[in-house]
Amino acid sequence: MTDFFEDIKEKAKEKKTSLDKKSAHVSYLRLATFISGVIFIYQGMTKGKDLYTALGAALILSFVILIRFHGLMEVKAKSLDKEIECADRYIARITGGWRDFGDDGSEFISKDDTLSHDIDLLGKGSMYQLISVAHTQFGRKRLAETLCLKNVNIDEASERYEAVRELSEDKEFLVGFEAVSSRIYDKKGEDEEQKNYDYKPMKFPFWMGLIMAVVPVLNIAAIVLTITGQIKATWIIVTFLLGIIAVFAPQKKVESLIMPVYLYGLSSRDFYDLLKMIGEKDFSSRNLKSLKERVVAGDGMLKAVKSLGAIGQAFNVEYNAIVHMLLAGFFGYDLYIALAAVNWNNKYGSSFSECFSIIGSMEEYLSLSVLSVIRNVTPFEMLEEGDNRIVLSDVVHPLLDTDKVVSNTVSLDNSVTVITGSNMSGKTTFLRTVAVNLVMGYIGAGVCAKEFKAPKMKIFTSMRVMDDVTNGISTFYAEILRIKDMSQYIKKMGNVPALCLIDEIFKGTNSADRIYGAAEAIKNLSSGNAMVIVSTHDFELCELKKKNGDCVSNYHFEEYYEDNELKFDYKIKEGRCTTRNAKALLSMAGLLELDNLNKN
C-alpha cells in the first residue's frame, strides 16, 4: 500500500519542480515587464511620444496580469506541497509513525467521557490521531464527536459504511481533498476563520451612500475644471483630502460592516475548491450523494463563496497603503466594499454556514475511510434486538502494529463472562479490541476482523480508573461509581442492552474486599439486560453464579516458557486460567533470582 502513496509523492514532486522553474521565469519576466513599462512611460511623458506612453501602459497592465498569474502558480505549488505532506502521513500510518502526528484530538476530551479515555478514542496514541484527515475546525470537531458516539445514529451504520468504503477506494480524492483543507488550517487567524458564520441582517446607512456619490463626483469635477483651466490644480488636492476625511472618519462603522464578511473571504478560495470537488464528483452511495446535492442545490452556494472571495481580495488593497489611500480619497473605495459586504451578507449570509457543515461532514467521512486504506476492514453486522451475542472472527486491535498484532476468534453469548490470565497476557487488550471495534462498527468505519457481529448496545467501560484527590475519591470508590452508572442504566430495562467492560475489577482494594465486592457487583449487573465482560486475577470469580443461579462463562489468556523465557501467544481460550507469572516477571526485572522458570 505504501507504493501507491510513494507514487503520489513522486508525481507531486515532479510537478512541483517543473512549476518552480516556470514560476522563476514568470518572476523574472514580471520584473522586466515592470521596469520596461516604467521606462517607456517616462520616455513617453518626457519626450512627448504617445506611442511610448501607450506601450508603457500596456506593459504595466501586463505586469498586473503576470502578478495574478504568478499568484495562481504559488497556490498550485502550495497545493502540491500539501499533497506530498498528505502522502507522507498515509505512509506514516502504515509504517507506524502516526503517533508523532501533532493533532490527536486531546482538546475535545471531556472529563466525564470515560469511554474515550479507556479505549483511546481521543488523545495521544488514539483512533483520532491515527485516522484524522480533518483540518478545519468543523471537521475536527465532527470527527471527535462521532468517535465518542455523540450525534451519530447507530442504526445508520450500514449506510455510513457504504459512503466510507466508496471514499476509501478513491485515494486520489482522499489526498486531494485533504491537501486543500490543510491550506485553510495554515492560514493566519484560523481560529477566527473557522467559526460558523454568525448571520445577522445588515443595513447600509443612507449617509454612506451620499458620501459614495459625492466623493468621486467632486474629484472628477476638480480634475475636469483644472484641465479646462477654470480652477487651480491645488483644488484636486483639496477634494482628495476631503475624500480621505469623509471615508476614514467613520472607519469604525465601515469596518463593522466589512470585517464579519472579510474574515471568511480569506479562506474563500479554499472553501470554494473543496465545495467544487464535492459538487463535481460522481458519488454512488446515498450519504455522499446527499452531500453533493447540498452543494449543487439552487441556493447558489458556490456562487456565494466565489463572490465572498472577490470581496476579500478587493479589501486586501488596504495592505498597499499608497494605492488604498488614492482609491479611498478619489473614489470612496472602502464604502463600496462595505456596500458589497452588506449586500453579500443579506443575500447569502443566512445559508453560508451550510458550507461549513458540508465540508466538516466530508472530512469526517474521509477520516473514517482512512481505516479501510491502512487496515484490513470488513463491514460490521448488526444483530437484531434481543440477540445478545458478540461473535468475533480474527478480530484485531486497529491501533497495534499490523506485523505484531495477534487476532482472536470467539463467540460470547453468556450475559456474564469472566476472563482470567496472568500479567501481560492480553486480557486488557482484548477488552479494548472488542470495544474500539464495536465503536468503529457503530459509526460506519468498519471493523478490523473477518467477522464481527453484535447488537446495538450502550457501551460502558471501567478500565483506566483514577483517583480524584481534589474531591476525596479513591480509586476503589471511583470504580464503584463507574459500576453504579452501569447498574442504574441496566435497571431502566431499556431496549438497548448495556455492554459492561470491566478491567481488573476492584483492583484498588485488598483481596478480601475485592473478591466480595466484585462478586456482588457482577451479580447485580447480571440481573438485567446486559452483557458483562470482566477481567480479573481472582480465580474465585470463575466459580461465580449470576443472579438467576446460572454459571458465568470462563475464558482465559496464558503464558508459556521457552528456553527459560516467558512468552505469550495472546490467544483467548475457553476455561479458567491455571498459570501465574509473577515470579517470572520479577526475575525479568532482576528483582528475584529464578534458576529455572519451567519448574515454577
Side-chain angles (χ1 to χ4, degrees), residues 503-544:
D503 184 41
E504 303 291 356
I505 186 168
F506 292 148
K507 57 183 173 291
T509 189
N510 62 77
S511 58
D513 284 343
R514 180 172 63 249
I515 294 170
Y516 173 79
E520 291 303 313
I522 292 172
K523 286 180 181 179
N524 183 280
L525 296 177
S526 70
S527 62
N529 190 15
M531 289 191 69
V532 183
I533 305 176
V534 177
S535 72
T536 181
H537 287 288
D538 298 314
F539 294 161
E540 293 87 346
L541 298 182
C542 296
E543 308 299 328
L544 188 67

Side-chain angles (χ1 to χ4, degrees), residues 70-131:
H70 191 257
L72 293 174
M73 294 180 74
E74 289 180 339
V75 171
K76 179 61 177 175
K78 186 173 182 179
S79 294
L80 290 171
D81 285 334
K82 291 300 179 182
E83 285 185 22
I84 295 169
E85 291 177 12
C86 292
D88 278 332
R89 284 196 287 269
Y90 274 99
I91 294 170
R93 291 183 180 101
I94 296 169
T95 58
W98 59 271
R99 290 176 178 83
D100 294 327
F101 292 172
D103 185 18
D104 59 19
S106 294
E107 69 194 80
F108 302 110
I109 299 176
S110 59
K111 185 177 181 181
D112 59 347
D113 186 4
T114 57
L115 179 65
S116 297
H117 179 68
D118 282 353
I119 64 173
D120 302 306
L121 297 177
L122 301 175
K124 188 68 175 176
S126 66
M127 287 301 305
Y128 181 100
Q129 189 176 23
L130 174 65
I131 68 174

